[in-house]
Amino acid sequence: MHNPAKSSNFAANSANMSTNVTHYVFQQPAIEFMTVAVQLCLFLEQETHEKSDFIEKILCLLPLLYLKARLLPRSTEEMDGYPERFVSEFEYDALRQSIAQILGSDDAYLEVYMNDMRYSDEPITAYISEDIADIYQEIKDLACNYQTSDERVMNDALVNCMDAFDEHWGQKLLNVLRPLHALSLAHDE
């Protein structure tokens, strides 16, 4: 049976816990980012997807991940060295191939925001599957480092992931939204 007193105590305890948490990795922006990152990983790791369902779901998760990454305050590293990498080349390639198979001929798109584009007379072809696999690799490595429950490891993994966001995967996320949006509209017709 539902006990309202217990529910209100739980809410009060939860509120107190969030004000006592001081480490960067346990603050609300980090937890919200990790929640979306884990949701995206779980979605991408599912065995089968229909093309239209994949496009619709990824179009919801990617912008949310971008937003949570942008809202996340930056921290500094606490240890020497780089956080452990967990996603193997085999896993990366299996995911890339799975997405490429789902999207078929719609996987390729013309990239207009690459630095190399300004020196090229030819359009540069990019692949949604490769860009999403790159994003997955960064956030999956982060999620695996979070599972260690070591605050310093978690912190440095988050710092490393946000540096990678600034350097490449944030732009890749934005790049794939354009062709995915077009595919979602074409599918609706």
Side-chain angles (χ1 to χ4, degrees):
M1 176 176 246
H2 177 69
N3 184 339
K6 284 187 178 180
S7 295
S8 61
N9 286 339
F10 176 76
N13 289 339
S14 296
N16 289 337
M17 283 176 36
S18 65
T19 58
N20 293 333
V21 175
T22 58
H23 198 282
Y24 171 67
V25 300
F26 297 118
Q27 293 176 358
Q28 185 173 351
I31 297 301
E32 289 177 359
F33 173 76
M34 286 304 303
T35 300
V36 178
V38 169
Q39 287 177 347
L40 179 60
C41 288
L42 291 173
F43 171 70
L44 292 172
E45 292 165 356
Q46 290 176 0
E47 290 294 316
T48 58
H49 294 284
E50 292 295 322
K51 184 176 182 177
S52 60
D53 293 339
F54 176 83
I55 291 168
E56 291 307 312
K57 181 75 170 184
I58 204 83
L59 276 172
C60 293
L61 288 170
L62 289 177
L64 188 55
L65 183 68
Y66 186 87
L67 174 65
K68 295 302 181 182
R70 294 292 302 169
L71 293 174
L72 189 62
R74 297 304 198 250
S75 184
T76 56
E77 292 180 333
E78 296 180 0
M79 303 184 315
D80 293 331
Y82 291 99
E84 187 174 347
R85 302 296 277 189
F86 290 88
V87 178
S88 69
E89 187 176 335
F90 175 79
E91 291 167 316
Y92 172 94
D93 200 48
L95 178 68
R96 184 193 58 74
Q97 288 178 12
S98 173
I99 297 169
Q101 185 175 10
I102 291 167
L103 297 174
S105 61
D106 293 324
D107 187 28
Y109 69 99
L110 297 180
E111 181 50 72
V112 294
Y113 293 106
M114 292 178 79
N115 286 336
D116 297 341
M117 188 65 190
R118 56 185 152 168
Y119 306 115
S120 176
D121 293 334
E122 298 292 318
I124 297 174
T125 302
Y127 297 90
I128 296 169
S129 59
E130 187 173 331
D131 290 345
I132 291 176
D134 287 345
I135 295 164
Y136 170 83
Q137 183 175 33
E138 296 293 343
I139 63 172
K140 180 66 175 189
D141 284 342
L142 171 61
C144 290
N145 276 296
Y146 248 72
Q147 289 180 331
T148 67
S149 298
D150 180 327
E151 290 176 6
R152 293 174 25 174
V153 170
M154 296 162 64
N155 178 80
D156 287 8
L158 192 52
V159 168
N160 187 273
C161 186
M162 291 300 94
D163 288 347
F165 171 82
D166 293 341
E167 293 167 8
H168 69 92
W169 74 261
Q171 185 64 56
K172 289 181 181 194
L173 186 156
L174 293 173
N175 293 349
V176 300
L177 290 177
R178 184 175 39 86
L180 286 168
H181 177 71
L183 288 173
S184 76
L185 295 177
H187 181 68
D188 289 343
E189 293 177 352

